Amino acid sequence: MRHFAVIGSGPAGFYTAEALLKIYGERCLIDLIDRLPVPYGLIRFGVAPDHQSIKAVSKRYEKVALEGHCRFLGNVHLGADVSVEELLHYYDAVVLATGAPNDRLLGIPGDQLPGVIGSAAFVGWYNGHPDFADLAPPLDGRDAVVIGNGNVALDVARILSKSPQEFGGSDIVGHALDALAGSAIRTITVLGRRGPHQIAMTPKELGELGHLNDALPMVEAADLPPAEADALLDPGQRKSVQHLRDFAAAGADAAKPKRILFDFFAKPLAVEGEERAEQLLVERTVLDPDGSARGTGETYRVPASLVVSCIGYATPAIPGVPYDEHLGRFPNQNGQVAERLYAVGWARRGPTGTIGTNRPDGFEVAEQIAALFPADSEGAGRAGGEGLDRLLRSRGCDPVAFADWQMIEAAEIAAARAGAPREKLVRVEEMLRAGGH
Ligand SMILES: Cc1cc2nc3c(=O)[nH]c(=O)nc-3n(C[C@H](O)[C@H](O)[C@H](O)COP(=O)(O)OP(=O)(O)OC[C@H]3O[C@@H](n4cnc5c(N)ncnc54)[C@H](O)[C@@H]3O)c2cc1C
């Protein structure tokens, strides 16, 4: 029998477990470990609550977890409850699928002022991540700025713009829904250092902004390159840019009280304010021939009592694991970090790509493990999960099983059907209680 530990139960962790099961079948036991008491990583706590169809991928992961040879252990924190050395002692191979949950800092003066929030925290707040349930972002001002030109920036701008009715059918948590319903924000400026051709926004997500009840997306026609230049773009990007052209061409709609303003060629220099964010000092940029943005020296100010930065994420270091401070992830050779230690997903590649991008990672690493330990070879006699269970018990650490999670999920669904706010289940203790722990 081979024993494998996969740390992190987001897409990368589940695809890795799936790939290992495909290769080893009944000749392996996999422990899928997560610091949270619930599985699925950013599927539950990142993907927008009003994009339910995307979250349906968790049904595929559920099948893996219910496979007899894969065990979910929630509420177990690698680096706090157990070390990598200990896992390598108990398991034949250890795969880090810990994602990239830390916000990259803006790194400009004023970025620590109240009102400046990273997207991991903001998105975690409206998705009920236990670490961010108490965030209480300031929604009392009229102006918000969202920094970044990717899909996360679009998610944040859309969530800030929607009316309460437009969250029907979503799984947004109650505390966020209530706060957003009382929000005073009327202008959301989406700020990007480069131009429309350089956005990392997919057409479907961008197109959605054109169909909001209360908000109108606005683009300065002067920011758009000549239409002929779109021919050089790949088809997806061309569609996205076409949405921007449509937004620029559409007239103002006085019936819609909110505005989403795209401010291209704009580099944030400082967040200014007495005791909290009040405005953003911005420098106009131009594109250099190599595609990078260069400041022109021309500056202006954008009012902002809320600043959400969507400029990327980093993987936290874990004691005993090599770490690249600059890249914010584990350095690796095709997924291998050290002997019998691997990384997949965002912990391996950094925070790019869609859910499906993580799948090949899992399969590649599973093949590397199989090259080291052929599926028909004898096991090394390691203690595997039994050893880990003993260790965790001795430390008073009480893992949450997949069956507990299923009870948590059932309780959540029942509460939602009864019309109760979902916020009741965002706190770890409450989740555990709902799981009958
Ligand atoms: C706001 C947002 C919206 C997105 N929307 C979409 C979308 O609509 N469509 C799409 O295709 N992609 C979307 N993505 C991208 C997608 O979510 C990622 O590609 C994917 O989740 C990365 O998978 P992962 O397994 O590497 O990391 P994660 O999903 O982050 O999973 C990592 C897991 O590891 C656990 N963990 C971390 N540290 C430890 C530790 N020390 N010990 C134990 N467990 C630990 C975490 O709790 C977590 O469960 C979105 C991403 C973000 C940030």
Side-chain angles (χ1 to χ4, degrees):
M1 187 63 75
R2 291 289 174 186
H3 298 277
F4 303 122
V6 178
I7 320 305
S9 66
F14 268 104
Y15 288 128
T16 305
E18 188 181 82
L20 287 168
L21 284 171
K22 212 169 195 165
I23 294 172
Y24 289 91
E26 296 188 340
R27 300 178 70 100
C28 76
L29 287 172
I30 302 168
D31 279 346
L32 195 45
I33 294 167
D34 207 292
R35 61 175 279 255
L36 296 177
V38 293
Y40 307 143
L42 286 173
I43 303 296
R44 181 169 163 90
F45 294 119
V47 171
D50 55 345
H51 284 172
Q52 284 299 298
S53 59
I54 292 169
K55 297 192 180 219
V57 70
S58 61
K59 286 290 154 205
R60 175 183 179 143
Y61 306 152
E62 189 178 74
K63 280 195 191 134
V64 176
L66 294 173
E67 223 287 327
H69 286 247
C70 180
R71 189 172 69 134
F72 172 74
L73 283 93
N75 216 23
V76 179
H77 195 157
L78 174 63
D81 298 317
V82 61
S83 70
V84 166
E85 289 79 3
E86 287 162 341
L87 290 182
L88 284 167
H89 174 70
Y90 292 128
Y91 297 87
D92 291 287
V94 175
V95 182
L96 305 170
T98 47
N102 287 5
D103 276 307
R104 281 196 182 275
L105 293 178
L106 273 173
I108 57 175
D111 65 0
Q112 303 294 324
L113 278 172
V116 184
I117 295 173
S119 60
F122 189 73
V123 166
W125 169 73
Y126 64 63
N127 269 318
H129 191 300
D131 291 355
F132 304 111
D134 297 326
L135 184 74
L139 303 174
D140 54 335
R142 288 184 66 83
D143 301 283
V145 170
V146 178
I147 299 176
N149 267 181
N151 276 347
V152 175
L154 283 183
D155 279 353
V156 170
R158 189 180 69 254
I159 297 291
L160 283 171
S161 312
K162 276 196 163 180
S163 59
Q165 298 72 27
E166 289 172 287
F167 286 108
S170 81
D171 66 352
I172 192 166
V173 289
H175 64 241
L177 190 58
D178 290 348
L180 288 164
S183 165
I185 291 172
R186 291 294 171 267
T187 304
I188 299 125
T189 303
V190 180
L191 206 103
R193 294 208 293 185
R194 300 193 294 161
H197 272 195
Q198 286 75 38
I199 55 172
M201 299 169 168
T202 44
K204 184 181 159 290
E205 279 68 22
L206 198 48
E208 269 181 83
L209 296 192
H211 304 283
L212 296 172
N213 285 354
D214 286 353
L216 186 74
M218 298 181 77
V219 171
E220 286 278 344
D223 283 342
L224 291 159
E228 316 80 81
D230 291 3
L232 297 172
L233 301 174
D234 75 54
Q237 189 75 342
R238 206 178 310 139
K239 272 192 200 162
S240 291
V241 173
Q242 187 55 49
H243 282 304
L244 295 177
R245 293 191 186 282
D246 294 345
F247 298 160
D253 183 345
K256 295 193 176 180
K258 297 181 190 171
R259 296 282 178 269
I260 300 172
L261 304 179
F262 284 86
D263 191 0
F264 292 109
F265 306 107
K267 176 183 166 189
L269 291 183
V271 185
E272 299 174 334
E274 282 297 313
E275 293 189 347
R276 55 177 280 188
E278 290 171 21
Q279 57 193 9
L280 198 66
L281 177 64
V282 180
E283 182 179 19
R284 193 50 80 210
T285 67
V286 287
L287 282 189
D288 275 339
D290 68 355
S292 59
R294 178 168 41 87
T296 60
E298 177 196 341
T299 59
Y300 56 99
R301 288 180 168 79
V302 180
S305 49
L306 171 67
V307 177
V308 185
S309 64
C310 310
I311 57 165
Y313 306 99
T315 301
I318 294 176
V321 181
Y323 185 72
D324 186 323
E325 199 74 49
H326 176 66
L327 294 175
R329 58 176 168 77
F330 307 120
N332 63 86
Q333 277 290 357
N334 302 323
Q336 183 170 12
V337 176
E339 206 186 328
R340 299 191 291 115
L341 182 63
Y342 303 85
V344 290
W346 281 16
R348 168 188 174 176
R349 290 178 285 107
T352 56
T354 59
I355 294 162
T357 318
N358 302 294
R359 191 165 174 265
D361 273 17
F363 279 75
E364 190 182 341
V365 157
E367 273 165 20
Q368 286 191 42
I369 294 174
L372 194 61
F373 305 118
D376 54 3
S377 65
E378 283 298 312
R382 293 183 189 273
E386 283 181 16
L388 179 66
D389 288 351
R390 272 197 303 276
L391 183 80
L392 293 177
R393 259 197 311 276
S394 74
R395 292 182 178 161
C397 177
D398 192 11
V400 176
F402 199 76
D404 297 323
W405 150 247
Q406 287 179 302
M407 284 162 73
I408 294 172
E409 191 182 31
E412 280 188 355
I413 291 169
R417 283 203 181 121
R422 284 175 52 90
E423 65 191 329
K424 286 204 175 128
L425 299 181
V426 299
R427 283 163 219 288
V428 176
E429 331 63 86
E430 286 161 350
M431 288 184 189
L432 295 180
R433 229 177 292 133
H437 222 65

